[in-house]
Amino acid sequence: MTTQLLLMITAFAGCLLAILSFYPLSQRIGLVDIPRGRKQHQGAIPLIGGLSVFTGMLLGFALFPVADLDAGYYLTLAGALVILGAFDDYLDLSVKLRLAVQLLLSAAMVYVLDLHLANLGNLFGYGDVRLGFLGIPVTLIAVIAAINAFNMTDGIDGLAGMLSLVSFVAIAGFMLLWGQVEQALLPMVLICAMLPYLAFNLQLVPGKKIFMGDAGSMLIGFSVIWLLIVGTQSESASFRPVTALWLIAIPLMDMVAIMVRRIRKGQSPFQADREHLHHISLRLGLNSRESLTLITALACIFACIGIIGEYLLIPEGIMLLLFLLLFAGYIQLLQNVWRILSALRRRLQGAKG
């Protein structure tokens, strides 16, 4: 059995054992989500999903280190974010403090590892768009945006986890396609570590429901943007930068649309509300599982569009234009969803009459 396979099995088993170990401990120390305000679940739910996923990964890489994959820096930065998220879950930290720590860790990724966005690809048909000195600030914004985009999707059972799985599977597929087995190992380990969490979160394992918590949503958001930068900016890039937009389409579009709406209302872009896509789907009459299925299916469709565009080498400018058109349509739909539904209801009532 290869080291890579043992690593993935250990990440899965480690996450499972961590869940079983952390579950009673979280209840004793109060690391639980209590229903109040916008939160309408039943009972105090342990916020241990992110901690368990990271523990599984950490155990796997500790027991089966891969010489060609230096995961130390990633695990250090991701671990710091998990700790930040755990404290936020427990103490409800201020937005400014969370953003400050996220910015510090993003800067460490950029300056220590020299891992940043430098090339946006041939978007306009005149050669690659290189960011130059703008690459560092753009990367810092992108990392913080990705972390918070997945945090915002964590509103119904399984959604943040399933959306991240779509991204991880697509990224791993691209890397394996180009023979980059070592690079593909990190997303595959993340997938294996996520599966036990999803089983408990979606109650495929009855009796022990858990939530991801901010520790988990920050972990997966950081992991996705880390892999997207590695996949598009390394010397042996696995896919074009514009394709990355399609692999995180739902979290990205939902976050930007919500922030634009809040700013137009004169509110803080980080103010919590119930206007996300998953909230709207629930208010349309879908239950939590149906909403999860619908939104995950949409994410798969968008990822497939990116994959097809990459496979067929459709010009990057066309792929960007298609994404921007989709984005504009998405924003308009969300802004007018209730008006559209009211009109449809009136027509249906008129047809019945």
Side-chain angles (χ1 to χ4, degrees):
M1 190 177 294
T2 65
T3 300
Q4 290 90 341
L5 183 57
L6 287 170
L7 171 55
M8 289 187 286
I9 293 173
T10 303
F12 177 92
C15 178
L16 179 59
L17 291 174
I19 291 171
L20 297 176
S21 301
F22 293 161
Y23 194 92
L25 177 63
S26 66
Q27 294 177 316
R28 285 200 297 269
I29 67 175
L31 185 58
V32 294
D33 196 357
I34 299 172
R36 59 178 177 268
R38 296 176 300 110
K39 301 175 181 180
Q40 300 178 357
H41 57 272
Q42 295 182 349
I45 308 299
L47 293 164
I48 59 172
L51 289 168
S52 300
V53 170
F54 182 75
T55 300
M57 293 177 58
L58 188 62
L59 183 63
F61 280 110
L63 293 179
F64 301 100
V66 179
D68 296 330
L69 180 66
D70 183 8
Y73 287 116
Y74 162 78
L75 290 172
T76 300
L77 296 176
L81 273 175
V82 169
I83 294 171
L84 171 67
F87 273 105
D88 188 35
D89 289 328
Y90 193 67
L91 301 173
D92 195 16
L93 303 176
S94 70
V95 172
K96 290 182 180 179
L97 178 59
R98 294 201 307 268
L99 289 176
V101 177
Q102 290 170 8
L103 179 61
L104 180 63
L105 294 173
S106 303
M109 182 188 82
V110 170
Y111 289 105
V112 175
L113 300 178
D114 193 29
L115 185 61
H116 64 278
L117 293 166
N119 183 359
L120 299 183
N122 185 8
L123 297 176
F124 307 107
Y126 299 104
D128 289 349
V129 177
R130 299 193 175 276
L131 291 174
F133 69 92
L134 292 176
I136 291 176
V138 169
T139 303
L140 296 178
I141 293 171
V143 174
I144 293 173
I147 292 171
N148 288 282
F150 279 91
N151 181 270
M152 290 181 179
T153 63
D154 190 23
I156 60 175
D157 291 347
L159 183 57
M162 291 301 296
L163 291 178
S164 67
L165 277 188
V166 172
S167 301
F168 293 145
V169 168
I171 293 168
F174 277 127
M175 291 176 172
L176 289 172
L177 182 65
W178 289 104
Q180 299 165 347
V181 178
E182 292 80 13
Q183 296 287 357
L185 189 57
L186 180 55
M188 290 192 294
V189 168
L190 278 159
I191 292 167
C192 292
M194 288 285 296
L195 293 178
Y197 155 72
L198 285 169
F200 281 89
N201 179 240
L202 295 173
Q203 292 192 290
L204 303 179
V205 178
K208 290 186 182 294
K209 184 180 180 66
I210 65 172
F211 284 162
M212 177 175 287
D214 287 344
S217 59
M218 289 185 189
L219 171 64
I220 61 174
F222 177 75
S223 300
V224 168
I225 193 65
W226 175 288
L227 290 167
L228 290 178
I229 294 174
V230 169
T232 60
Q233 304 298 311
S234 62
E235 293 182 2
S236 54
S238 307
F239 48 95
R240 300 174 298 180
V242 71
T243 302
L245 296 175
W246 292 94
L247 303 187
I248 57 168
I250 292 290
L252 178 62
M253 292 192 300
D254 191 56
M255 178 193 69
V256 175
I258 286 293
M259 286 190 162
V260 168
R261 182 186 304 164
R262 290 171 184 167
I263 292 171
R264 290 178 63 180
K265 290 181 178 179
Q267 301 171 344
S268 165
F270 297 99
Q271 178 177 320
D273 58 30
R274 295 184 59 82
E275 297 297 330
H276 291 282
L277 179 60
H278 53 272
H279 292 131
I280 292 173
S281 65
L282 292 173
R283 288 157 68 183
L284 291 178
L286 299 179
N287 61 36
S288 178
R289 194 59 58 90
E290 291 168 343
S291 298
L292 172 64
T293 302
L294 172 63
I295 298 172
T296 302
L298 287 174
C300 290
I301 291 170
F302 297 150
C304 286
I305 292 173
I307 292 168
I308 292 170
E310 187 75 24
Y311 179 76
L312 297 178
L313 292 179
I314 296 175
E316 292 161 89
I318 293 177
M319 293 301 293
L320 176 62
L321 179 60
L322 288 174
F323 184 82
L324 292 176
L325 290 173
L326 172 68
F327 202 169
Y330 181 88
I331 291 176
Q332 287 300 314
L333 178 62
L334 288 190
Q335 288 179 341
N336 298 283
V337 63
W338 307 119
R339 189 180 307 166
I340 294 170
L341 288 174
S342 297
L344 287 174
R345 289 193 187 102
R346 286 197 298 268
R347 288 191 179 185
L348 289 173
Q349 289 173 356
K352 290 178 181 179

